[in-house]
């Protein structure tokens, strides 16, 4: 029997390449999320994780899965990305996004994006179809039009809650400790996803409208490699949310990757880095992490962060500290 075991394993796993169990995790933003926003966010993260899972279950790549999950939240007004993005001080939607492939450390990032519903898809196109890594402002529009993306009227991305959040901001004139802000009842969150596919490739993606009342030209952490997003097949993947200025100073996503490289598991590394950032910079953040083997890390120093993941045909999700809800993955 001993003699035949390697042959049998090699046959089961496709001539020597082991098929990993795919895993996907998403977040819908960290912040002082009001009670009235909780259900919409939970429904939204579950829909997003299912959109990504569908791609993985059909044998699709981690990159396509994280893009699909983020797109699901970019078109959902419960989140601060695409439709539902918060407004800058002049009342405009101006978005950032990034996506990274752990296979070859390839990255696509876009910043100061206007007039498109899905910045994450443009970022993915930068990754696959451009000699560059990071494109901003007017150049994003030129690139996206050249690649066949359709513009949308800018006002079609603006929700009533985003308008209300800006009104509150202008009355209080105080940028919050998270992208949703301290006084921001209508605030919504940055979105992100991390996946490991059946071939063992890792990908991560993050998309945001930024911070209510941000200055014209302000760029947050979400499009910055190592701050908002990181993926490396040798270690794992990370997507962050929260106070962008702090996350970028701390290089939060890559801090977690380094801790994992040094031997910490996904959960410990995620908790240690978020706690470290918050105690050093006195602002809050939230993170989702997957190790290359699909181990999960979730931690947030804000009041709430919506998250969901699918593993072993179970959907796990939550939004409050220490909350883990669970339901079976139903066949679609
Ligand atoms: N974390 C998103 C931002 O601050 O832009």
């Amino acid at each position: 029997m001993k003699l035949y075991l390697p042959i049998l394993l090699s046959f089961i796993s496709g001539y020597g390449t082991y098929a990993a169990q795919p895993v996907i995790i998403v977040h819908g933003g960290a912040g002082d999320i009001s009670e009235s926003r909780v259900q919409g966010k939970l429904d939204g993260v579950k829909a997003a994780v299912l959109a990504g899972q569908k791609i993985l279950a059909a044998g699709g790549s981690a990159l396509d899965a994280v893009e699909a999950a983020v797109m699901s939240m970019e078109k959902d007004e419960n989140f601060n990305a695409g439709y539902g993005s918060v407004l800058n001080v002049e009342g405009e939607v101006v978005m950032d996004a990034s996506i990274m492939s752990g296979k070859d450390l390839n990255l696509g990032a876009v910043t100061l994006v206007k007039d498109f519903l899905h910045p994450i898809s443009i970022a993915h196109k930068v990754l696959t179809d451009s000699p560059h890594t990071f494109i901003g402002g007017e150049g994003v529009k030129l690139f996206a039009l050249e690649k066949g993306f359709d513009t949308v009227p800018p006002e079609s991305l603006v929700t009533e809650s985003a308008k209300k959040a800006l009104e509150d901001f202008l009355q209080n004139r105080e940028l919050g400790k998270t992208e949703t802000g301290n006084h921001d009842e209508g605030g919504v969150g940055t979105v992100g996803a991390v996946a490991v596919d059946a071939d063992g490739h890792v990908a991560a993606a993050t998309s945001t409208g930024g911070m209510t009342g941000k200055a014209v030209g302000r760029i947050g952490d979400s499009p910055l490699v190592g701050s908002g997003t990181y993926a490396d097949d040798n270690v794992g993947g990370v997507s962050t949310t929260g106070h962008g200025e702090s996350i970028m100073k701390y290089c939060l996503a890559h801090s977690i990757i380094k801790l994992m490289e040094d031997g910490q598991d996904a959960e410990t590394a995620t908790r240690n880095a978020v706690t470290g950032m918050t105690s050093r910079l006195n602002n809050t953040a939230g993170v989702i992490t997957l190790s290359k083997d699909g181990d999960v890390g979730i931690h947030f120093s804000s009041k709430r962060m919506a998250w969901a993941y699918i593993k072993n045909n179970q959907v796990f999700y939550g939004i409050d500290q220490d909350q883990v809800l669970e339901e079976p993955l139903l066949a679609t």
Side-chain angles (χ1 to χ4, degrees), residues 177-319:
K177 286 187 185 299
T178 70
E179 69 253 24
T180 62
N182 285 340
H183 307 283
D184 190 352
E185 278 299 295
V188 281
T190 289
V191 305
V194 184
V196 183
D197 63 28
D199 294 327
H201 295 310
V202 182
T206 311
S207 180
T208 191
M211 193 183 251
T212 294
K214 66 185 179 179
V216 172
R218 180 263 187 187
I219 297 168
D221 58 302
S222 303
L224 303 182
V225 63
S227 294
T229 304
Y230 206 83
D232 182 345
D233 277 9
N234 295 333
V235 187
V238 178
S239 171
T240 72
T241 164
H243 187 253
E245 277 65 12
S246 301
I247 293 170
M248 69 175 89
K249 288 171 197 166
Y250 207 76
C251 296
L252 184 58
H254 200 258
S255 297
I256 293 166
I257 294 288
K258 285 305 289 175
L259 293 175
M260 288 164 73
E261 256 175 351
D262 291 346
Q264 295 190 12
D265 61 53
E267 195 189 326
T268 310
T270 304
R271 189 180 54 248
N272 283 343
V274 172
T275 309
M277 188 210 92
T278 294
S279 62
R280 185 76 199 269
L281 295 167
N282 199 26
N283 281 307
T284 58
V287 172
I288 53 169
T289 303
L290 284 183
S291 77
K292 65 182 167 56
D293 301 318
D295 300 322
V296 170
I298 301 168
H299 195 77
F300 48 101
S301 52
S302 51
K303 182 178 163 200
R304 287 181 163 133
M305 180 182 81
W307 57 267
Y309 70 90
I310 296 178
K311 207 172 167 175
N312 301 327
N313 293 322
Q314 285 288 112
V315 186
F316 300 87
Y317 59 100
I319 192 165

Side-chain angles (χ1 to χ4, degrees), residues 164-180:
K164 172 78 172 56
L166 183 61
E167 269 171 38
D168 291 350
F169 166 82
L170 292 173
Q171 270 171 19
N172 292 297
R173 280 274 168 184
E174 187 187 342
L175 284 167
K177 286 187 185 299
T178 70
E179 69 253 24
T180 62

Side-chain angles (χ1 to χ4, degrees), residues 32-56:
D32 298 338
I33 298 161
S34 63
E35 200 56 44
S36 63
R37 314 278 307 180
V38 164
Q39 195 55 51
K41 281 181 167 289
L42 286 176
D43 292 345
V45 288
K46 282 197 279 177
V49 84
L50 287 170
Q53 160 71 18
K54 218 168 156 182
I55 303 232
L56 292 174

Side-chain angles (χ1 to χ4, degrees), residues 1 61 66 106 163 184 212 232 281 293 297 324:
M1 182 61 200
S61 70
V66 294
N106 205 357
K163 283 191 206 162
D184 190 352
T212 294
D232 182 345
L281 295 167
D293 301 318
V324 182

